[in-house]
Amino acid sequence: MIPRKFGARVARVEDERLVSGAGAYLDDLGADALTLAVVRSPHAHAKILDIDVTGALEVDGLIAIYTYEDLDGPMADPLPLLIPHPALSHGRTQYVLAKDEVNYAGEAVAMVVAVDRYAAEDIVERIVVDYEPLPVVVGIQNARAATHLVHEDVPGNVAANVVQQVGDAEAAIAAAPHVLELDLSIERSAAMPLEGRGVLARWDPDFGRLRIWSSTQSSTGVRAAVAAKLGLDLSDVTVTTPDVGGGFGVKIMHPWPEEILVSWAARRLQRPVKFTEDRREHFVSSAHERGQLQHVRVGFDDEGRLLGLSVRFWHDHGAYTPYGLIVPIITSTQLLGPYKPDAYRVEFDSLYTNTVVVTPYRGAGRPQAAFAMERTMDAIAQKLGIDRTEVRSRNFITPDDMPYDHQLTFQDGRPLIYDSGDFPQSLATLKALVGWDNFTAYRDAARAAGRRVGIGLACYVEGTGIGPYEGGTVEIETSGRIKVSTGLTSQGQGHRTVFAQIVADELGVSMDDIDVVTGDTDRSPFAVGTFASRAAVVSGSAIALAARKARAKVLKLAAEALEADPADLEITDGVVRVTGAPGAEISLGTLAVLSNPLRYAFDEQSKLATQFTVGDSSQPPVPHGEQPGIEGNDYYSPMQATFANGMHAAIVETDPVTAEITVLRYCVVHDCGNIINPIIVEGQIHGGVAQGIGGALYERMAYDEDGQLQNASFMDFLMPYVTELPDRIEIDHLETPSPLNPLGIKGAGEAGVIPGSAAIASAIEDAEGFPVRAMPISPSELFHLRLRHRRT
Ligand code: MCN
């Protein structure tokens, strides 16, 4: 009997290959390919008057230079807008090469194809673009003032204004015994995967087919966009995802100009072409996120119960809206977290600025949501002199309220209904883990010794596992090995391990006999992609269903071969056995051979290898309605999101003199339903917490007033190293299974990052005794806050 793998602490099967340098990332491929490099605008806003390539034509190694003028048909249209929203009155997307105008510094203006990167970069430098600079809009206040416009036909720089409400929040606030107002801000940051974007394309002129390798989170997304732009059938484009060194949202579904340009150039030049982004390009031409100003008004009673909550926020969307309104919509719908105010109103403006586009980055709008809600809960506690955990518990949605319908529309257009969760239990677990009730004594003792320490907490809820669908295929090879395919891609989440765990249990085979392939459009032509913490729920469920189909076929074939009742069969270690009949057994590999009339087998009698079996001449070689081979294929399409949730507590120390902020402890209680692999979930949380702490204390995109990013390198953009993190991130799991999917899972991939800024602001506030309303907060900002609050 093989022990169950679901829920076991199984080591990641992908790691040995990756840590021993055997991984194959995009830039490891295509040594024979030409290099594509991009001429990028140095201006944040300008008209393009002329592009002079004369000086570049003499450089050795030049193959081709293209500008917008060389594009026609769909290539000359703007990129698609991925998720249109009815309120997006002024959506804009960029061209693959700028048409007449650039709207951020870094936008692609021309492309160069050369024999290698050295030549390509020399050529880029020799292309002279004549720009007429236009006034630049940087920052939310500037965009709101609308003294200048990013797109001249978008009044007020407002891409969209959205209002959502449940009940009459204004009336509730007007009638409430207590009212508070908070102004909050959270700066722009970015995903910063270790590997930047990259794409390689080969055109096969004999078959009219295009083969693409992309460092993407959605191989089918790339295929769809390239096929549409190049006028090809989907089935004539293959996208394979090699090892991907992180994505964190920046490589989601929306096609990047370079993915289209590389493919177009490969076909036009009939030669393989590759683009590999460098770090500076990643800063100035990939995507950023966060970036919001928020104004909260809340009315509450003497007990701290929320009567009315009204939130107005302004979202910096950058120069274009490739994903529609997805990020601010997530903020607006998930802001309520685990609480149930009597009435809620939210209104936001999505604003254009002359900066890099803003698209989802791990957490996608939820860190901003948690910041608004959790700062508000702390402010209420402060005002009423009630413990911060107590105010929260008085407002929790309880397990008896589940499923809880917020009467709002979620980001996927479906109702926002929490399916399960036990917030009171989560809070009790967190308090015990961090020692909440003993902290006052610790803080007082620290104060007496001249140290400032503080404790903070923040809660969140995260809709995960959204549709539309994913598929899974489980195939038994004649070798007896199992091939599992799913179309979504992997960027480090350990999918090969967890999907193998699921199949090992369903089929009764060893994980060592399972190979998992992700993100290959030839194997899995119908797929969506890895984002929104959806792989475990959606692909995991599809794979489980597919494995059950494969199992059913195995049992049917084995019952025939062993002349047994399927109910008497069990599968262990890749062998089907008749219970209670020793020796009556057949391996999965043999069944796979028997199930296909076109098979390569060794005939013991004739001592010959045979390749085709005639079988019983009275029957068709493959019975009608049956498929040869043993393959289970299924799709899973969730009706609605499943809601993971969690609560984080941080203990910080702030230096009384230098204002340096140190995170001493960080505790997480997390509920992602049934856990497939605790090691992987904990790893996901560790990475997320590091990003959350980065967003709270270090990371910001420092644009100057001309729209130039001043810190576009790892010398200047601060990311936390392990030295900035506490020694240990302490985690307790709570598993309230989701009733919505076959495995009872909820997503886990973004959880770690969401409440980071809110929890750390709460702890700094506790240490310092004054409100912290803007993140990230640096030592110098804390120092100035102290001055302002006369607490030096
Ligand atoms: N898991 C589990 N049990 C659960 C839930 C999840 O064992 N109940 C496991 C899953 O099987 C998977 C991992 O935890 O191996 C994350 O699962 P899931 O929540 O389904 O998230 P996805 O696999 O869909 O990954 C996407 C998510 C997102 S949205 C971002 S952004 C992100 C993240 O994952 N980007 C990452 N984690 C990342 N981790 C790495 N290393 N690199 C990225 O780019």
Side-chain angles (χ1 to χ4, degrees):
M1 186 74 179
I2 302 174
R4 220 173 126 68
K5 295 294 180 206
F6 192 109
R9 300 185 76 84
V10 177
R12 290 173 28 128
V13 298
E14 34 284 86
D15 287 352
E16 191 177 334
R17 226 182 107 251
L18 296 178
V19 299
S20 62
Y25 296 89
L26 197 277
D27 204 39
D28 296 323
L29 313 177
D32 58 334
L34 300 171
T35 293
L36 182 143
V38 178
V39 178
R40 300 190 184 280
S41 167
H43 295 279
H45 198 191
K47 291 230 176 289
I48 301 169
L49 302 179
D50 181 48
I51 301 176
D52 180 1
V53 301
T54 343
L57 298 176
E58 292 147 20
V59 181
D60 284 348
L62 172 69
I63 303 289
I65 299 172
Y66 301 112
T67 67
Y68 179 81
E69 299 301 318
D70 298 299
L71 308 176
D72 56 12
M75 284 294 288
D77 297 333
L79 285 166
L81 196 150
L82 209 69
I83 310 171
H85 187 282
L88 182 58
S89 48
H90 294 92
R92 296 286 178 276
T93 59
Q94 69 189 93
Y95 293 89
V96 287
L97 293 172
K99 194 174 170 196
D100 310 308
E101 189 173 307
V102 285
N103 286 303
Y104 64 92
E107 187 162 351
V109 171
M111 68 182 257
V112 164
V113 182
V115 291
D116 58 32
R117 181 125 194 186
Y118 301 104
E121 299 217 350
D122 286 350
I123 296 161
V124 163
E125 279 180 14
R126 284 172 174 74
I127 295 175
V128 181
V129 185
D130 189 9
Y131 296 98
E132 178 192 322
L134 296 169
V136 173
V137 180
V138 177
I140 292 174
Q141 296 294 26
N142 216 330
R144 282 177 68 189
T147 316
H148 304 293
L149 297 179
V150 175
H151 302 285
E152 57 186 15
D153 56 345
V154 179
N157 291 314
V158 179
N161 171 270
V162 177
V163 179
Q164 294 168 76
Q165 48 196 338
V166 185
D168 189 342
E170 293 306 332
I173 294 168
H178 306 278
V179 175
L180 274 176
E181 300 205 19
L182 287 80
D183 284 304
L184 303 162
S185 79
I186 194 155
E187 296 248 11
R188 277 168 87 126
S189 184
M192 296 297 154
L194 276 180
E195 182 198 25
R197 297 182 291 113
V199 58
L200 162 70
R202 290 179 192 277
W203 174 252
D204 180 343
D206 297 328
F207 294 92
R209 297 201 63 194
L210 186 66
R211 181 113 208 251
I212 301 171
W213 293 258
S214 180
S215 178
T216 178
Q217 291 175 237
S218 173
S219 46
T220 44
V222 173
R223 184 186 56 163
V226 170
K229 284 282 179 196
L230 270 58
L232 294 168
D233 286 338
L234 285 182
S235 56
D236 287 330
V237 181
T238 294
V239 181
T240 306
T241 318
D243 289 316
V244 175
F248 305 108
V250 75
K251 301 173 183 171
I252 310 188
M253 293 192 74
H254 193 268
W256 288 103
E258 293 85 353
E259 282 166 327
I260 310 283
L261 292 170
V262 157
S263 305
W264 178 79
R267 182 164 74 162
R268 193 174 166 118
L269 298 168
Q270 310 246 323
R271 294 180 64 179
V273 180
K274 180 164 87 170
F275 165 76
T276 312
E277 183 186 59
D278 67 26
R279 186 54 59 184
R280 187 177 157 74
E281 285 182 300
H282 189 76
F283 271 96
V284 302
S285 66
S286 289
H288 303 165
E289 211 232 273
R290 313 296 190 235
Q292 280 182 7
L293 291 183
Q294 304 165 331
H295 180 74
V296 180
R297 295 174 59 242
V298 62
F300 48 98
D301 66 15
D302 296 339
E303 307 296 312
R305 288 201 182 82
L306 297 167
L307 302 175
L309 178 68
S310 176
V311 180
R312 180 82 171 91
F313 73 89
W314 295 267
H315 177 80
D316 179 350
H317 227 122
Y320 301 102
T321 50
Y323 287 88
L325 298 175
I326 195 74
V327 174
I329 287 285
I330 294 177
T331 304
S332 65
T333 53
Q334 293 190 34
L335 197 140
L336 296 175
Y339 314 113
K340 46 174 180 183
D342 291 349
Y344 174 53
R345 180 182 194 277
V346 61
E347 176 175 357
F348 69 81
D349 283 342
S350 234
L351 297 166
Y352 284 117
T353 56
N354 289 116
T355 57
V356 171
V357 290
V358 166
T359 68
Y361 154 42
R362 197 179 201 174
R366 297 178 191 89
Q368 300 91 313
F371 193 63
M373 192 69 232
E374 296 297 307
R375 303 316 307 122
T376 303
M377 297 311 276
D378 278 2
I380 295 171
Q382 167 75 18
K383 168 110 184 195
L384 297 178
I386 304 175
D387 184 89
R388 286 168 287 169
T389 60
E390 186 54 37
V391 169
R392 284 168 169 84
S393 32
R394 289 178 190 173
N395 287 287
F396 276 156
I397 294 161
T398 66
D400 290 342
D401 296 326
M402 300 288 181
Y404 185 81
D405 187 346
H406 268 298
Q407 315 274 321
L408 290 165
T409 305
F410 192 50
Q411 74 212 50
D412 57 0
R414 289 166 183 255
L416 183 80
I417 303 172
Y418 295 175
D419 52 315
S420 66
D422 188 342
F423 308 133
Q425 182 58 47
S426 288
L427 185 59
T429 312
L430 183 72
K431 284 177 74 175
L433 180 65
V434 73
W436 185 271
D437 291 336
N438 304 327
F439 190 76
T440 312
Y442 174 75
R443 183 177 44 217
D444 292 347
R447 281 251 164 90
R451 294 172 61 206
R452 286 186 196 180
V453 293
I455 191 168
L457 85 159
C459 311
Y460 70 94
V461 159
E462 183 198 359
T464 66
I466 54 172
Y469 69 87
E470 289 297 337
T473 304
V474 174
E475 207 178 332
I476 298 177
E477 303 276 1
T478 50
S479 62
R481 295 190 66 76
I482 319 293
K483 185 82 83 202
V484 179
S485 325
T486 186
L488 57 63
T489 58
S490 302
Q491 304 87 53
Q493 293 90 345
H495 294 143
R496 288 184 190 168
T497 308
V498 284
F499 295 152
Q501 285 176 259
I502 292 172
V503 172
D505 285 349
E506 296 289 344
L507 275 185
V509 295
S510 158
M511 281 182 66
D512 295 341
D513 291 334
I514 301 173
D515 301 309
V516 177
V517 182
T518 58
D520 184 329
T521 58
D522 274 358
R523 283 184 182 279
S524 309
F526 296 102
V528 182
T530 299
F531 53 88
S533 303
R534 62 191 296 278
V537 173
V538 193
S539 269
S541 299
I543 287 169
L545 296 174
R548 286 172 199 174
K549 283 190 175 169
R551 181 187 174 90
K553 182 145 188 197
V554 163
L555 294 181
K556 178 173 174 289
L557 293 173
E560 285 163 18
L562 299 170
E563 295 180 353
D565 186 333
D568 294 335
L569 299 178
E570 58 177 21
I571 315 176
T572 41
D573 244 340
V575 177
V576 191
R577 296 188 171 86
V578 184
T579 330
E585 60 182 49
I586 188 163
S587 73
L588 296 187
T590 307
L591 283 171
V593 172
L594 293 176
S595 68
N596 186 354
L598 182 58
R599 65 195 184 209
Y600 188 91
F602 189 74
D603 184 81
E604 282 299 335
Q605 243 181 349
S606 65
K607 302 288 180 213
L608 286 173
T610 58
Q611 238 182 311
F612 183 73
T613 319
V614 177
D616 176 355
S617 61
S618 68
Q619 298 290 330
V622 179
H624 292 303
E626 287 259 340
Q627 200 182 297
I630 309 178
E631 182 190 287
N633 172 250
D634 215 333
Y635 289 85
Y636 179 71
S637 180
M639 279 300 290
Q640 61 166 87
T642 169
F643 281 81
N645 60 80
M647 301 179 188
H648 293 193
I651 296 181
V652 303
E653 176 159 8
T654 56
D655 189 292
V657 179
T658 64
E660 188 184 352
I661 304 160
T662 309
V663 182
L664 299 178
R665 283 182 66 199
Y666 201 96
C667 298
V668 175
V669 171
H670 179 246
D671 178 1
C672 60
N674 293 331
I675 297 178
I676 309 169
N677 186 330
I679 295 183
I680 287 184
V681 168
E682 286 159 17
Q684 287 290 309
I685 292 173
H686 292 163
V689 166
Q691 287 175 310
I693 290 175
L697 298 178
Y698 307 107
E699 298 173 6
R700 76 184 76 212
M701 290 296 167
Y703 276 104
D704 69 11
E705 59 189 16
D706 295 325
Q708 299 296 329
L709 191 57
Q710 295 297 301
N711 58 346
S713 84
F714 283 154
M715 292 294 286
D716 301 308
F717 177 87
L718 301 181
M719 279 171 81
Y721 298 138
V722 73
T723 42
E724 274 75 51
L725 303 176
D727 293 344
R728 214 156 52 88
I729 293 160
E730 300 157 66
I731 303 174
D732 239 334
H733 299 289
L734 204 72
E735 292 182 70
T736 52
S738 170
L740 300 178
N741 59 69
L743 302 174
I745 317 172
K746 307 173 193 178
E750 293 164 278
V753 75
I754 295 171
S757 286
I760 287 179
S762 175
I764 296 173
E765 210 167 273
D766 188 48
E768 297 286 333
F770 51 75
V772 174
R773 301 273 161 87
M775 293 305 249
I777 180 164
S778 65
S780 89
E781 281 155 337
L782 178 58
F783 185 80
H784 283 97
L785 271 184
R786 280 179 182 168
L787 288 183
R788 207 181 311 150
H789 292 275
R790 301 180 194 287
R791 289 281 311 265
T792 37

